[in-house]
Amino acid sequence: QMQLQESGPGLVKPSQPLSLTCTVSGGSITTSYYWWTWIRQPPGKGLEWMGHIAWDGRTYYSPSLESHTSISRDTSKNQFSLWLSSVAPEDTAVYYCVGQYWRLPTNMDYWGKGTLVTVSS
């Protein structure tokens, strides 16, 4: 059973960078057809897809976040990470990492529990 666990700071000051890491167990992040995704949910709002990194290292980002977002991976640690160059209060959210297997007709999602990041001075 694949499990994902987010880690990172719970409180970040405005204009500072944010780095979150997702540790994957029960499977390899280089396994074909897996996409490793970051999704966030601000308080009282819906889910927002931020971007993902593929099993082969390709990355795709939400157009609204692409200019200041980066997703990377460390295959030796079986981890992938999210980096925001500068945060603002509206970046306060629960951040989820998700492992998604996409190969038709099969589609499976594995979610981390989420980590709350508060942006405040």
Side-chain angles (χ1 to χ4, degrees):
Q1 179 72 17
M2 187 172 293
Q3 294 184 324
L4 289 81
Q5 178 66 58
E6 304 89 350
S7 60
L11 179 65
V12 184
K13 294 184 177 181
S15 79
Q16 295 298 304
L18 169 65
S19 179
L20 297 175
T21 296
C22 183
T23 301
V24 180
S25 59
S28 171
I29 64 171
T30 61
T31 300
S32 295
Y33 307 108
Y34 271 94
W35 295 81
W36 305 98
T37 302
W38 287 98
I39 292 172
R40 67 181 179 181
Q41 185 170 31
K45 298 185 178 181
L47 297 172
E48 179 184 17
W49 182 85
M50 302 182 71
H52 56 198
I53 186 167
W55 69 95
D56 58 4
R58 289 173 289 156
T59 54
Y60 298 90
Y61 301 99
S62 167
S64 64
L65 299 172
E66 185 170 14
S67 64
H68 61 286
T69 302
S70 178
I71 297 175
S72 61
R73 64 179 185 170
D74 186 335
T75 57
S76 67
K77 296 181 180 178
N78 216 37
Q79 296 175 332
F80 65 105
S81 298
L82 172 72
W83 183 79
L84 297 179
S85 60
S86 176
V87 296
E90 52 265 35
D91 293 309
T92 294
V94 177
Y95 286 75
Y96 298 95
C97 60
V98 187
Q100 300 179 295
Y101 178 83
W102 291 343
R103 189 182 187 189
L104 293 176
T106 302
N107 183 345
M108 295 184 294
D109 289 352
Y110 302 91
W111 287 69
K113 294 180 180 180
T115 185
L116 174 63
V117 176
T118 302
V119 180
S120 175
S121 55

